[in-house]
Amino acid sequence: LSADVFPTPESNDSADAWCFSPKQYLSGRYGSPRSLNNVCFPEERLCRDELGDYRPKTRPEVGDLVITEVMANPSAADDRLGEWFEIYARHGVDLNDIVVVSNETENPPLGVSACLHLAEGARAVFARSEAAKARLPRVDHTFETSLVNTVERLSLQYAGTELDSIAWDTTSPGVSWMLDPDHRSAEGNDVPQNWCFERAPATNGDIASPGVLNSDC
């Protein structure tokens, strides 16, 4: 019985007041014997944490995630192996059900049952293919659509709401386009003057800083 339902002979007659327990008390066995029950949430709002327990997803809001770097025109590898972008978490959220939209083309949502948590202050790198893991220092998630070198718009959406977006009209071969670290906000990355080409040491032939602090512009 859901913890937010006052237990009475009448209230526990409603099927909507019941759900499967999300809490493990033994390996592979879920329940809360002799302890407070959990609140029931719709199944699509739950994810499974690193301990194997189910919990409500931490849903992202506008401003929680910021696009901070993009490699749209790699030179050390073809586009499928070399295209990627980076996001930064201003608040800790789960990335489950996030949709990457490239030039109005939606990618499939991140939709695994495990909680895809991104902690406050952490970064995640999205690469265009799983194969990119062999050449990039890190790849956390993937997307399928290409990043256009000119006149491109890239955005993150959740449940039909745009969380953040950036746009560019030019690239430099083999060099990432990156946001100055002092302007890591959904408003800051809308200002073209806060962006510049990365000057960090080359990463597998391209000048970029995937998953680490950007250089100052």
Side-chain angles (χ1 to χ4, degrees):
L1 183 67
S2 181
D4 61 352
V5 175
F6 187 77
T8 68
E10 294 76 30
S11 67
N12 72 354
D13 289 339
S14 172
D16 292 337
W18 290 84
C19 62
F20 291 110
S21 175
K23 188 72 174 177
Q24 284 193 104
Y25 65 97
L26 289 174
S27 179
R29 298 183 182 182
Y30 291 81
S32 51
R34 301 187 69 181
S35 61
L36 183 66
N37 294 347
N38 289 79
V39 174
C40 289
F41 287 89
E43 185 176 351
E44 66 271 13
R45 290 185 57 188
L46 299 176
C47 61
R48 194 170 186 174
D49 66 17
E50 63 276 5
L51 299 177
D53 295 328
Y54 287 88
R55 64 163 176 79
K57 299 172 187 174
T58 305
R59 300 156 67 95
E61 304 290 343
V62 175
D64 287 341
L65 299 173
V66 182
I67 302 171
T68 51
E69 189 174 5
V70 60
M71 174 63 79
N73 190 8
S75 61
D78 64 34
D79 286 355
R80 186 156 186 80
L81 291 176
E83 290 184 349
W84 54 268
F85 67 91
E86 173 194 87
I87 65 173
Y88 173 82
R90 289 172 56 86
H91 302 99
V93 297
D94 293 316
L95 301 181
N96 303 70
D97 307 316
I98 288 285
V99 175
V100 176
V101 183
S102 175
N103 267 358
E104 310 307 322
T105 300
E106 294 187 3
N107 287 267
L110 300 184
V112 299
S113 61
C115 300
L116 303 177
H117 192 69
L118 188 61
E120 180 177 344
R123 301 169 180 81
V125 175
F126 287 68
R128 192 176 156 193
S129 69
E130 288 284 341
K133 292 181 177 180
R135 62 174 305 275
L136 292 175
R138 58 180 285 190
V139 172
D140 301 292
H141 307 286
T142 60
F143 61 101
E144 299 176 359
T145 56
S146 63
L147 300 177
V148 181
N149 295 345
T150 58
V151 193
E152 169 69 289
R153 187 174 188 275
L154 176 68
S155 68
L156 302 175
Q157 295 186 4
Y158 180 82
T161 297
E162 184 173 277
L163 302 175
D164 189 36
S165 67
I166 63 170
W168 62 89
D169 57 13
T170 186
T171 57
S172 180
V175 183
S176 69
W177 185 240
M178 64 103 187
L179 179 67
D180 187 279
D182 290 337
H183 300 282
R184 289 177 299 191
S185 68
E187 299 79 19
N189 74 351
D190 289 337
V191 180
Q193 291 81 0
N194 293 338
W195 289 81
C196 61
F197 290 115
E198 179 61 276
R199 301 183 303 278
T203 300
N204 287 346
D206 288 327
I207 299 173
S209 54
V212 299
L213 183 67
N214 295 346
S215 303
D216 294 326
C217 285

